[in-house]
Amino acid sequence: MRLRNIILITVIVPLFATLLVFSMVAIKSLEDNVRSKLQNEVQIITHAIGTTLSYALDNETPEAMQEALHSAFSFHRIYGAYVFDEDGEKIYGLGLGEELFEPEDIHAVAESGEQTGAYREHERWNYYSTLMPLTSSDGEVRGVLQVNRLNTGIENYTGFISLVAVAVFTVGAAGIALMIWWGFRRYIERPLNRLLGVMERVEKGDREHRASVEGPEEYRQLSVALNGMLDAMAEKDADIEARRQKEIELEKRLRKSKKLAELGVLAAGVAHEIGAPLTVINGQAQRLARSEHMSDEEQAKLQRIRSEVDRIVVIVRQLMDLGRQHNVEKESRHIGDLVTAALELLDEDVDIHSTRIEIDLPESAPEIVVNGQQIIQVITNLLHNALQATPGGHVRIKARFEDNEVNLLIEDDGPGIDDNVKNQVFDPFYTTKPVGQGSGLGLSMVHRIVNDHGGTVGVFDSELGGAGFDISLPLETYAVTSQDE
């Protein structure tokens, strides 16, 4: 059942019913009071003239009787006064209503000696008439006095007034109920429906929707409390989502580390098995190259064999380093020094590709605790890839320090990396370069080194138009130094 119906049934209806009962009781009390007053007035008038009439009957003086009856008409709304004998025969009388009582009624009053009264109707007129026995000085009943009083307007219409009062009360109650219903709908039901609408939208997934703070003070407080609860829930959801993402990232790192460990075991076995044959091949090629009977073309082919053997050795060594657990020996280094060292190693490549290098490092930055050679290797690998991706283009190196970590970003304006392969770029042997131009182990080494330092590395779309790599490393201990120092 709806709240407004409950209020109407439990509060409004009982209240109106109580008021109706009290109104009817009040009207009935008014009617009884009017009738009682009418009866008392008629009885007082009857007693007032009864003494004179008893004296006139006792002394048989018609003049006194006539004068007493005439005096009765001086009272308000007395319309008839009659004197009857013991048998109900009229002795003398004036006015209206002589036929209100039968002779038998009058005779019964004379025999009982007690005064009586009744409401009677005659010729569409309503009267209150009283009969009082007239006694002599010795107590003998000599006659009966009848006094008739015409009912007043309020006396005649008390029933009609009751009906009108009930009708007015009904109309007023309906109007009040309508006003209460309208006020309830406007100031209670509508604000509640707005709050309910907010909850339904939030339940359907619109977690950013909030209640408008308006209306009566209680609803404003309720809206503020609801918004606060939703904000708190949103913060909790964000915290849970952040923790879930961290768990996913940790799980990915664990799978990656497990994969690299398995790959390291495989690489160690492969290196052990192919190490001796590679040594034999390299030695025989070197011996043949020293022969004086070899032509230049044959010398070039032998040199090509030795170069490919050396490349195989390097790849095997990278595989072994990729899967091996490393104990990172760290030292305090300045990020600017690490970037400068990496650029010096690639100075020749920068000149060959005619690439513009933009360096954006903070003037005053804390030192980071890392293995300098490994971080230089990371920066070198990423810069090397950027230079190859954008010959004659633009490469930017940027560092930011916040929340006890350093973020190093390396971006280029090359063709970028497709979204569907971004999650594979750090996998071993994955490469977008042509066959023979890349082993697919460079970014895997970057991931392994950063992971060994307790950091993360990710790929994103750069503002320059190409690819960007974001390296995040924790600041385990730091001391603020100046770039110029």
Side-chain angles (χ1 to χ4, degrees):
M1 184 179 294
R2 306 195 68 171
L3 179 60
R4 67 165 178 247
N5 297 334
I6 294 176
I7 294 178
L8 287 174
I9 293 175
T10 60
V11 179
I12 306 303
V13 173
L15 177 62
F16 284 168
T18 303
L19 291 177
L20 179 61
V21 171
F22 276 107
S23 299
M24 297 302 297
V25 171
I27 293 174
K28 186 65 171 62
S29 299
L30 175 63
E31 183 180 356
D32 293 342
N33 185 54
V34 170
R35 290 181 179 274
S36 176
K37 183 178 180 181
L38 173 63
Q39 295 172 9
N40 291 334
E41 288 179 354
V42 174
Q43 290 175 2
I44 291 172
I45 294 171
T46 302
H47 281 288
I49 65 177
T51 302
T52 303
L53 290 173
S54 296
Y55 176 77
L57 284 175
D58 195 20
N59 294 284
E60 297 182 355
T61 54
E63 294 80 5
M65 182 181 301
Q66 295 176 8
E67 183 178 355
L69 290 177
H70 278 285
S71 66
F73 290 91
S74 63
F75 295 96
H76 182 61
R77 303 187 76 83
I78 296 298
Y79 276 68
Y82 298 90
V83 176
F84 299 91
D85 59 16
E86 296 90 337
D87 296 326
E89 297 295 330
K90 184 176 77 172
I91 298 175
Y92 187 79
L94 297 172
L96 303 176
E98 176 183 352
E99 296 85 358
L100 293 177
F101 293 96
E102 299 292 334
E104 293 80 5
D105 299 330
I106 297 174
H107 178 69
V109 172
E111 286 186 346
S112 65
E114 296 180 356
Q115 182 177 349
T116 186
Y119 286 92
R120 297 297 173 95
E121 183 177 353
H122 179 65
E123 296 181 353
R124 296 183 301 176
W125 293 94
N126 292 318
Y127 299 90
Y128 176 75
S129 180
T130 182
L131 297 175
M132 186 185 77
L134 299 175
T135 60
S136 61
S137 57
D138 57 1
E140 182 182 357
V141 176
R142 302 292 301 275
V144 176
L145 171 63
Q146 176 183 340
V147 178
N148 303 328
R149 186 179 190 277
L150 186 66
N151 286 349
T152 60
I154 189 172
E155 296 159 358
N156 288 326
Y157 294 105
T158 51
F160 176 74
I161 292 173
S162 300
L163 294 177
V164 171
V166 171
V168 172
F169 179 84
T170 302
V171 174
I176 293 174
L178 182 61
M179 292 178 63
I180 292 175
W181 177 84
W182 179 83
F184 180 90
R185 182 176 178 82
R186 179 178 178 84
Y187 297 106
I188 296 179
E189 188 173 17
R190 286 183 180 177
L192 285 177
N193 286 336
R194 286 198 298 267
L195 294 178
L196 180 61
V198 172
M199 296 178 184
E200 290 176 348
R201 290 186 60 175
V202 172
E203 182 183 9
K204 292 178 180 178
D206 188 2
R207 299 300 178 88
E208 301 300 325
H209 188 65
R210 295 293 181 269
S212 58
V213 183
E214 59 182 10
E217 179 65 24
E218 291 78 4
Y219 287 102
R220 291 201 299 270
Q221 293 177 355
L222 187 59
S223 298
V224 171
L226 176 61
N227 292 340
M229 181 186 68
L230 293 176
D231 291 339
M233 291 175 59
E235 291 178 1
K236 292 294 184 182
D237 290 342
D239 183 59
I240 292 173
E241 180 62 21
R243 292 184 180 181
R244 190 178 70 87
Q245 292 297 332
K246 288 183 179 179
E247 291 177 356
I248 293 174
E249 184 64 26
L250 289 174
E251 186 177 356
K252 288 181 178 179
R253 291 183 184 179
L254 181 59
R255 288 201 299 267
K256 180 77 70 174
S257 299
K258 184 177 180 180
K259 182 189 297 184
L260 294 177
E262 293 173 352
L263 184 60
V265 174
L266 176 62
V270 172
H272 177 74
E273 293 297 329
I274 69 176
L278 287 176
T279 301
V280 173
I281 293 173
N282 189 36
Q284 292 299 323
Q286 185 177 7
R287 179 177 298 176
L288 288 174
R290 289 197 295 266
S291 175
E292 297 177 354
H293 303 288
M294 300 292 294
S295 64
D296 292 340
E297 182 180 357
E298 292 174 339
Q299 289 284 348
K301 291 180 179 179
L302 289 174
Q303 185 61 36
R304 174 69 182 277
I305 293 173
R306 295 189 62 191
S307 298
E308 293 301 322
V309 170
D310 291 339
R311 183 168 175 266
I312 295 173
V313 172
V314 171
I315 292 174
V316 171
R317 186 179 299 114
Q318 288 179 340
L319 283 173
M320 296 181 67
D321 290 340
L322 189 63
R324 186 182 298 118
Q325 294 293 331
H326 296 80
N327 294 322
V328 181
E329 296 182 1
K330 299 180 181 180
E331 58 184 344
S332 181
R333 298 292 299 271
H334 198 284
I335 189 67
D337 297 337
L338 299 177
V339 172
T340 301
L343 287 174
E344 290 177 353
L345 294 176
L346 296 171
D347 186 60
E348 183 177 352
D349 290 343
V350 173
D351 292 338
I352 293 174
H353 292 90
S354 301
T355 303
R356 181 168 64 91
I357 304 296
E358 176 188 353
I359 301 177
D360 181 10
L361 302 178
E363 295 182 358
S364 178
E367 293 182 349
I368 58 176
V369 181
V370 295
N371 185 296
Q373 293 300 323
Q374 292 185 0
I375 298 302
I376 291 174
Q377 182 180 355
V378 168
I379 299 174
T380 302
N381 286 346
L382 295 178
L383 285 175
H384 181 73
N385 289 342
L387 292 173
Q388 289 184 335
T390 175
H394 179 199
V395 174
R396 181 169 61 192
I397 306 172
K398 181 168 62 175
R400 293 291 181 267
F401 292 81
E402 57 182 11
D403 297 333
N404 291 331
E405 66 178 14
V406 57
N407 289 93
L408 181 64
L409 290 83
I410 299 177
E411 308 169 71
D412 62 64
D413 60 354
I417 301 175
D418 293 338
D419 292 337
N420 57 348
V421 298
K422 285 181 180 178
N423 60 343
Q424 304 178 42
V425 295
F426 297 106
D427 291 342
F429 303 111
Y430 180 82
T431 180
T432 58
K433 297 177 182 180
V435 177
Q437 296 186 16
S439 63
L441 295 174
L443 291 180
S444 298
M445 291 295 298
V446 169
H447 183 276
R448 194 270 301 168
I449 293 173
V450 174
N451 187 68
D452 287 344
H453 281 75
T456 59
V457 58
V459 61
F460 63 95
D461 293 329
S462 171
E463 296 177 354
L464 300 180
F469 288 86
D470 181 7
I471 303 170
S472 176
L473 296 172
L475 298 178
E476 298 180 359
T477 59
Y478 62 91
V480 178
T481 60
S482 173
Q483 180 78 357
D484 297 334
E485 293 178 353

